[in-house]
Amino acid sequence: MGNRGMEDLIPLINKLQDAFSTIGQSCNLDLPQIAVVGGQSAGKSSVLENFVGRDFLPRGSGIVTRRPLILQLVNNKAEYAEFLHCKGKKFVDFDEVRSEIEAETDRITGSNKGISPVPINLRVYSPHVLNLTLIDLPGMTKVAVGDQPIDIEHQIRDMLMQFITKESCLILAVTPANTDLANSDALKIAKEVDPQGMRTIGVITKLDLMDEGTDAKDILENKLLPLRRGYIGVVNRSQKDIDGKKDIRAALAAERKFFLSHPAYRHIAERMGTPHLQKTLNQQLTNHIRDTLPGLRSKLQSQLLSLEKEVEEYKNFRPDDPTRKTKALLQMVQQFGVDFEKCIEGSGDQVDTNELSGGAKINRIFHERFPFELVKIVFDEKELRREISHAIKNVHGVRTGLFTPDLAFEVIVKKQIVKLKTPCLKCIDLVIQELINTVRQCTNKLNSYPRLREETERIVTTHVREREGKTKDQVLLLIDIELSYINTNHEDFIGFANAQQRNTAANKKRAIPNQVIRKGWLTINISIMKGGSKEYWFVLTAESLSWYKDEEEKEKKYMLPLDNLKLRDVEKGFMSTKHIFAIFNTEQRNVYKDLRQIELACDSQEDVDSWKASFLRAGVYPEKDQTENEDAAPADTFSMDPQLERQVETIRNLVDSYTGIVNKSIRDLMPKTIMHLMINNAKDFIHSELLAYLYSSGDQNSLMEESADQAQRRDEMLRMYHALKEALHIIGDISVNTISTPVPPPVNDGWIQEAR
């Protein structure tokens, strides 16, 4: 006969573990270990054996269990045993198991009562057991016999402590009824590791061997020497019964008869015997399982919740439904349009916090990159003055002009306006690249249907490329319009009178003094010999560049005036991940300490471009590449004639004023033109025409063919979803079909003297 209560728990645990294995997880119930402690020949092995319901442990007088036996019970369809030291050998006959335990004990300890802390590991596979660990420990003794060491008491005690100190270990403190319970070593050592008595159960054996006229009634009723979890009396088989091959079934019947017929115990017979001990231990296992259920349920529910949204679209999935593909196509195209618009226009939901994308990058192109490109083309003062001088001379021809010729002004202005074409076309190219990247990013959601994704990307990209030509034509037309008529009556134009009075230095445009243009972290690149690179908080105003220890701006490290400063690019170092630009003084003065230039490093090229644009707003321009030697200019380039110099200065101021007006106009119109002709047009195309193009591009069925990965993912997700629901249902069943027993109230167990 097996352990009936344990067999009732097995299906529940198996169902739970099966449910967890289907979702690819392990069900960590971590059931408690059960260890038996007590004196020699107290009946520890018999108690353990009765709990398992199998007859396989060695018996005899004196010290029989001389090595710890770690018995792992494994729920399995077939019934057999395996030893760790006999890997691969299966024992089907449990008498052979007993013989092997005896032989293995003798192999390490010898045959003359010696002990060893090296455990014997035995696994018993059976359909009648739970996955549990039982530990049969050597009996506690004080006197060494045979080959036993003098300190055998301490050795056995240390051996026991290895196992029973674990919080997950239930302790069966076994004491024979024919000894003095008050001096029980088992209870003393149990009290030491479990002072609250939460995991100690007293087991009284050999009740049938008590002197006539005596009984353990008061002890078993938990009155005389109380324990928190009380005592359970058992009657094991005698050595004569074992030798006579009396099986466990007959022994349990005899035990039951003993309690029912004994006048001192018959009133508590239902709370006595091996079946009640089994029931008590099984209830502890049930309590443990129930305690772990809330954690398991919470884990499963959070997983179920995370799957719920994705599974929603698959719940009613029917591959054979003819309307499914049409519906899916419409939904996909509609979603693509919404995603594209959100990427461009910006949205509160699904915001990418790692990098700029879509509309944000296009905004940066419009307002940082494009103005920077514009400024770069008009700042070469020397070249411009040379051109003005030539224009004035060529307009006058052989005559000497008394007045500043407006024709020279027009020629120079038009030449400057034509230069705008290159940055404008570059701006369109950058925006197109970003639009195509956005289209590619938005089609990622169409990965389920590779052919649909490919076609959508092709159609939209082709349309964007078609619009590119029209947008570039329109932008070039804007510049041609500017060239067609130079409006010297513009309200912002300074006019000839003002141009003559204004000198070049005063003409340099600067923002409002002390206006903060930008703040942010930059790294100053300095060689290790001079202190090494360090990151500072930089503040750029209209007049100076300052850097501080941190963003609180309390500890200022340095302030650099912007006068005579220019920017230059610096190549990225071989091992460096940073992007670098430099600031230097045009008058060859040190910029910072003994440095002729300071190198400033950013994490990305985008940051470099952004900082350069900010410096432009503060009036710090990039350095012009000197492709030819300044001395190589013809000697007649500049006349020393003061009148010509004044005329050059006047036209220079007029050109500066008018190109400022044109630049401002182009800076304003470029984003509007690109938005209207390209971006908004692309949005309208996606919303109104993309579907028609898709239908005309080929067979709808081939378009909506699922990728194998997607089909597998959907099946996997649905399987996981149903498995999670099933696991939660099983947990609910276990909660309903099992009950927890409350922990008994504390008792006064001060009578137990802790072992020393």
Side-chain angles (χ1 to χ4, degrees):
M1 178 185 170
N3 180 337
R4 195 63 236 154
M6 193 194 287
E7 289 182 21
D8 290 340
L9 272 178
I10 289 167
L12 288 177
I13 302 297
N14 284 353
K15 276 170 77 177
L16 198 56
Q17 285 175 333
D18 287 348
F20 269 82
S21 64
T22 57
I23 56 176
Q25 295 179 8
S26 57
C27 175
N28 298 318
L29 282 174
D30 195 19
L31 291 174
Q33 296 178 339
I34 298 170
V36 283
V37 297
Q40 284 179 15
S41 300
K44 300 182 299 301
S45 297
S46 296
V47 167
L48 212 53
E49 216 173 47
N50 288 350
F51 178 69
V52 180
R54 290 288 177 278
D55 190 2
F56 61 93
L57 294 172
R59 293 293 199 299
S61 58
I63 186 162
V64 179
T65 307
R66 291 179 285 132
R67 287 174 64 184
L69 176 74
I70 298 175
L71 173 60
Q72 288 176 286
L73 304 180
V74 182
N75 184 256
N76 192 54
K77 288 179 182 174
E79 189 167 54
Y80 61 92
E82 271 183 352
F83 286 94
L84 192 63
H85 62 272
C86 300
K87 279 184 179 173
K89 186 178 178 184
K90 293 183 180 180
F91 294 81
V92 182
D93 183 351
F94 280 85
D95 286 338
E96 284 183 35
V97 173
R98 184 187 299 112
S99 304
E100 182 58 37
I101 292 172
E102 289 170 345
E104 178 62 14
T105 301
D106 290 347
R107 189 177 68 80
I108 298 287
T109 62
S111 55
N112 192 17
K113 311 289 184 188
I115 66 158
S116 168
V118 180
I120 297 171
N121 285 276
L122 170 63
R123 278 188 179 176
V124 174
Y125 296 84
S126 168
H128 308 295
V129 298
L130 277 176
N131 294 333
L132 272 181
T133 302
L134 310 175
I135 303 159
D136 190 18
L137 294 163
M140 300 165 76
T141 185
K142 297 187 188 307
V143 182
V145 294
D147 292 338
Q148 292 172 357
I150 298 169
D151 63 342
I152 186 165
E153 180 185 1
H154 295 294
Q155 282 198 21
I156 291 178
R157 174 189 159 80
D158 291 344
M159 209 185 297
L160 266 56
M161 293 299 259
Q162 265 184 354
F163 297 97
I164 65 173
T165 47
K166 293 176 185 171
E167 284 297 319
S168 61
C169 183
L170 291 174
I171 305 166
L172 298 185
V174 181
T175 310
N178 55 2
T179 60
D180 182 7
L181 187 68
N183 294 318
S184 166
D185 290 332
L187 289 172
K188 283 178 186 176
I189 199 166
K191 174 76 182 288
E192 191 175 333
V193 296
D194 178 31
Q196 301 297 319
M198 299 288 285
R199 52 194 179 91
T200 304
I201 298 170
V203 179
I204 307 295
T205 58
K206 305 190 179 181
L207 288 165
D208 54 331
L209 301 182
M210 291 184 77
D211 292 340
E212 235 178 283
T214 61
D215 60 56
K217 177 186 168 188
D218 288 346
I219 290 169
L220 293 174
E221 286 179 346
N222 211 26
K223 289 178 182 174
L224 184 61
L225 302 167
L227 271 183
R228 186 164 191 172
R229 289 197 177 274
Y231 298 88
I232 296 169
V234 295
V235 177
N236 296 324
R237 290 172 295 170
S238 64
Q239 193 60 45
K240 183 183 172 187
D241 292 336
I242 293 163
D243 294 341
K245 301 290 182 187
K246 184 176 184 179
D247 70 4
I248 289 177
R249 187 189 294 269
L252 290 174
E255 181 188 54
R256 174 86 175 143
K257 186 179 177 185
F258 171 80
F259 283 116
L260 285 171
S261 60
H262 197 292
Y265 307 134
R266 67 167 64 114
H267 68 293
I268 52 171
E270 294 306 317
R271 290 186 280 117
M272 294 295 119
T274 300
H276 185 69
L277 176 60
Q278 288 178 343
K279 186 181 173 186
T280 303
L281 290 175
N282 287 332
Q283 186 57 56
Q284 291 309 305
L285 298 179
T286 304
N287 286 356
H288 178 83
I289 291 164
R290 284 179 63 88
D291 288 346
T292 59
L293 290 184
L296 292 174
R297 181 189 282 115
S298 172
K299 183 179 170 187
L300 293 177
Q301 281 173 333
S302 66
Q303 281 184 279
L304 192 68
L305 205 63
S306 66
L307 279 181
E308 197 91 8
K309 193 176 178 183
E310 290 185 72
V311 167
E312 195 62 42
E313 58 185 285
Y314 298 137
K315 271 186 181 175
N316 304 315
F317 183 82
R318 295 196 303 280
D320 53 341
D321 183 359
T323 62
R324 180 186 67 81
K325 288 187 176 179
T326 307
K327 187 178 176 184
L329 177 60
L330 289 169
Q331 284 176 341
M332 290 285 181
V333 172
Q334 191 177 10
Q335 187 59 48
F336 171 71
V338 170
D339 290 345
F340 182 79
E341 190 154 347
K342 280 184 179 177
C343 269
I344 298 298
E345 300 294 341
S347 162
D349 58 339
Q350 299 172 357
V351 175
D352 187 350
T353 55
N354 297 319
E355 61 172 358
L356 293 179
S357 60
K361 275 191 177 175
I362 292 172
N363 178 283
R364 176 173 268 190
I365 293 166
F366 285 161
H367 302 297
E368 290 184 6
R369 189 70 184 271
F370 180 56
F372 179 68
E373 295 292 333
L374 286 182
V375 172
K376 277 203 313 190
I377 61 171
V378 294
F379 70 86
D380 188 352
E381 193 69 32
K382 191 171 182 180
E383 181 65 29
L384 185 59
R385 287 177 181 277
R386 184 184 294 129
E387 287 177 1
I388 294 169
S389 173
H390 283 317
I392 292 170
K393 286 178 179 178
N394 288 335
V395 167
H396 288 313
V398 295
R399 295 180 301 280
T400 303
L402 297 174
F403 304 103
T404 305
D406 53 357
L407 194 59
F409 161 70
E410 280 206 22
V411 169
I412 298 298
V413 161
K414 285 181 178 179
K415 193 169 181 183
Q416 297 304 313
I417 293 173
V418 167
K419 288 180 182 177
L420 296 177
K421 289 185 179 181
T422 304
C424 287
L425 296 178
K426 186 177 179 181
C427 176
I428 293 170
D429 289 336
L430 290 170
V431 171
I432 282 172
Q433 191 53 53
E434 195 49 50
L435 267 184
I436 289 170
N437 289 343
T438 304
V439 169
R440 201 165 288 136
Q441 183 187 331
C442 293
T443 53
N444 281 340
K445 287 192 179 177
L446 309 182
N447 276 343
S448 318
Y449 306 99
R451 181 107 169 71
L452 175 64
R453 177 187 172 161
E454 192 182 306
E455 278 300 303
T456 303
E457 207 170 300
R458 183 187 66 77
I459 291 166
V460 178
T461 304
T462 304
H463 179 76
V464 169
R465 288 294 179 195
E466 283 172 6
R467 299 304 298 175
E468 174 188 5
K470 292 183 180 175
T471 309
K472 284 183 175 177
D473 288 346
Q474 183 63 34
V475 168
L476 293 176
L477 180 62
L478 283 177
I479 294 170
D480 287 342
I481 289 168
E482 290 289 353
L483 288 168
S484 66
Y485 180 63
I486 306 301
N487 180 17
T488 53
N489 283 328
H490 193 284
E491 58 186 3
D492 293 333
F493 186 58
I494 58 171
F496 275 83
N498 292 332
Q500 287 168 340
Q501 294 167 6
R502 183 182 289 190
N503 73 32
T504 311
N507 192 38
K508 188 178 182 185
K509 290 193 176 180
R510 276 280 173 87
I512 305 161
N514 300 324
Q515 179 197 2
V516 175
I517 293 170
R518 186 181 182 127
K519 295 183 179 186
W521 290 99
L522 284 172
T523 302
I524 297 184
N525 263 13
I526 300 177
S527 67
I528 295 171
M529 298 293 287
K530 294 184 179 179
S533 299
K534 199 164 183 185
E535 198 173 28
Y536 293 105
W537 178 257
F538 278 75
V539 177
L540 175 64
T541 69
E543 294 186 338
S544 66
L545 177 67
S546 307
W547 52 96
Y548 299 83
K549 182 183 176 185
D550 52 41
E551 60 259 60
E552 289 182 8
E553 297 179 18
K554 288 180 180 174
E555 192 179 327
K556 185 184 279 191
K557 294 293 182 183
Y558 197 74
M559 187 177 87
L560 179 65
L562 299 184
D563 295 322
N564 301 317
L565 293 187
K566 284 203 172 183
L567 303 174
R568 67 162 59 116
D569 292 322
V570 177
E571 280 192 25
K572 197 164 76 163
F574 175 63
M575 297 293 288
S576 173
T577 56
K578 299 268 189 181
H579 297 260
I580 307 167
F581 67 99
I583 301 172
F584 68 98
N585 192 301
T586 55
E587 296 180 352
Q588 302 299 311
R589 293 179 184 170
N590 289 346
V591 179
Y592 173 56
K593 295 183 178 176
D594 59 345
L595 300 172
R596 283 295 172 90
Q597 69 173 28
I598 50 171
E599 294 183 2
L600 301 174
C602 305
D603 290 328
S604 69
Q605 187 58 45
E606 283 184 353
D607 288 340
V608 169
D609 291 342
S610 183
W611 270 102
K612 282 182 181 177
S614 300
F615 274 106
L616 285 177
R617 286 175 57 201
V620 179
Y621 296 100
E623 170 190 38
K624 175 78 172 176
D625 292 334
Q626 296 299 322
T627 54
E628 56 186 41
N629 197 318
E630 291 179 8
D631 299 332
D636 64 339
T637 300
F638 292 108
S639 167
M640 296 308 290
D641 176 11
Q643 186 179 347
L644 178 60
E645 286 298 330
R646 280 197 300 276
Q647 289 177 347
V648 167
E649 192 63 41
T650 301
I651 290 182
R652 170 69 187 88
N653 290 339
L654 290 171
V655 168
D656 195 38
S657 173
Y658 198 81
T659 51
I661 293 167
V662 174
N663 279 3
K664 188 177 177 183
S665 174
I666 292 294
R667 267 208 315 268
D668 180 53
L669 286 172
M670 269 293 289
K672 292 175 180 177
T673 306
I674 293 172
M675 279 300 294
H676 176 67
L677 291 176
M678 192 181 295
I679 298 173
N680 290 344
N681 183 276
K683 285 193 294 186
D684 292 342
F685 174 80
I686 290 167
H687 283 302
S688 58
E689 295 181 54
L690 175 59
L691 196 59
Y693 273 84
L694 283 168
Y695 272 121
S696 63
S697 68
D699 178 31
Q700 182 196 338
N701 286 331
S702 67
L703 266 183
M704 296 308 292
E705 227 168 71
E706 262 190 326
S707 66
D709 289 348
Q710 172 64 14
Q712 185 182 345
R713 183 173 174 274
R714 185 187 64 249
D715 293 343
E716 186 64 29
M717 195 178 289
L718 287 170
R719 188 189 64 74
M720 177 76 84
Y721 180 75
H722 293 304
L724 284 167
K725 292 198 86 168
E726 178 62 20
L728 282 168
H729 182 66
I730 290 166
I731 286 176
D733 281 353
I734 294 174
S735 299
V736 170
N737 297 329
T738 57
I739 54 166
S740 291
T741 53
V743 179
V747 295
N748 180 12
D749 58 1
W751 59 272
I752 305 173
Q753 298 301 313
E754 284 191 20
R756 298 287 172 217

